[in-house]
């Protein structure tokens, strides 16, 4: 019986070195690629959320009334005139002021409208006060004028109102005077 010699153990050092180098190389190449893919996915999700947020804010801003305007509905020029006259008659100067053009609002205050109204003896007495709205001047697609005749028995006062159509289509008062 003979025993065969045990073959020498194979030296796997070269294999381990090759696997280590290849593994390190793959780790250095694949790990950043995975990180990049994850980051791109996160950016895409955040981008969609940001886009949706900006669209929502944009829509919200486009439907919001300008400061001082409140939630006033869009009206025809005659309806706007009737509403403005009603606000003045009811001493709701803030609401009447909100129907003025931005240029008028920069130069005046609701107190100016109060002084305009209270400066006339006929208008100061509000009870039994009636009015007649009369079309005045030349009407264009962007500007309309009215004369308002206020009556208190046999006394009367005249008010001139000039309306301008805004970019949103609303009729806003650009001039108001009492004679």
């Amino acid at each position: 019986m003979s025993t065969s010699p045990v073959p020498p153990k194979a030296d796997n050092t070269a294999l381990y070195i090759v696997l280590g180098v290849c593994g390190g190389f793959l780790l250095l190449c694949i790990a950043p690629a995975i990180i990049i893919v994850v980051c791109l996915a996160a950016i895409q999700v955040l981008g969609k959320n940001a886009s949706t947020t900006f669209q929502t804010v944009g829509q919200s801003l486009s439907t919001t009334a300008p400061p001082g305007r409140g939630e006033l509905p869009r009206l025809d020029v005659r309806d706007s005139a009737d509403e403005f006259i009603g606000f003045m008659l009811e001493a709701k100067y803030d609401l009447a002021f909100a129907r003025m053009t931005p240029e008028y609002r920069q130069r005046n205050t609701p107190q100016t409208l109060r002084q305009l109204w209270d400066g006339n003896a006929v208008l100061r007495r509000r009870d039994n006060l009636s009015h007649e709205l009369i079309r005045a001047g030349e009407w264009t697609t962007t500007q309309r004028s009215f004369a308002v005749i206020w009556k208190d028995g046999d006394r009367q006062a005249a008010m001139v109102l000039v309306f301008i159509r805004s970019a949103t289509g609303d009729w806003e008062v650009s001039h108001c005077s009492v004679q």
Side-chain angles (χ1 to χ4, degrees):
M1 185 169 197
S2 80
T3 54
S4 60
V6 178
K9 219 175 181 189
D11 187 15
N12 292 331
T13 306
L15 177 64
Y16 293 142
I17 292 175
V18 170
L19 287 176
V21 169
C22 290
F25 181 74
L26 287 176
L27 184 63
L28 289 175
C29 292
I30 292 179
I34 291 172
I35 292 172
I36 290 171
V37 168
V38 168
C39 289
L40 288 175
I43 290 170
Q44 188 175 12
V45 169
L46 291 175
K48 285 182 183 177
N49 288 342
S51 175
T52 303
T53 302
F54 282 119
Q55 288 175 357
T56 304
V57 169
Q59 289 171 353
S60 168
L61 290 176
S62 70
T63 59
T64 302
R69 287 289 304 245
E71 291 296 325
L72 298 175
R74 182 179 296 173
L75 300 174
D76 175 75
V77 68
R78 188 166 289 277
D79 293 334
S80 290
D82 285 335
E83 181 186 57
F84 181 81
I85 291 166
F87 289 153
M88 293 293 284
L89 183 60
E90 296 168 6
K92 295 180 179 177
Y93 302 111
D94 289 339
L95 294 174
F97 188 71
R99 279 293 184 192
M100 307 298 278
T101 61
E103 293 81 17
Y104 186 93
R105 290 193 305 261
Q106 286 178 350
R107 295 186 318 259
N108 298 286
T109 65
Q111 186 63 27
T112 307
L113 291 177
R114 177 186 297 274
Q115 291 169 352
L116 178 72
W117 186 272
D118 289 341
N120 185 287
V122 174
L123 298 177
R124 206 169 336 169
R125 282 196 64 207
R126 295 181 189 279
D127 54 332
N128 298 325
L129 191 61
S130 63
H131 71 277
E132 181 181 356
L133 185 64
I134 302 168
R135 178 180 166 164
E138 182 180 336
W139 282 24
T140 66
T141 57
T142 58
Q143 185 171 336
R144 310 276 167 95
S145 302
F146 290 99
V148 184
I149 307 300
W150 294 96
K151 297 179 184 174
D152 179 19
D154 59 342
R155 301 181 330 157
Q156 70 179 24
M159 178 183 279
V160 176
L161 296 176
V162 178
F163 286 83
I164 293 179
R165 184 180 294 227
S166 70
T168 62
D170 288 325
W171 289 98
E172 298 174 325
V173 179
S174 66
H175 174 81
C176 176
S177 63
V178 176
Q179 302 167 348

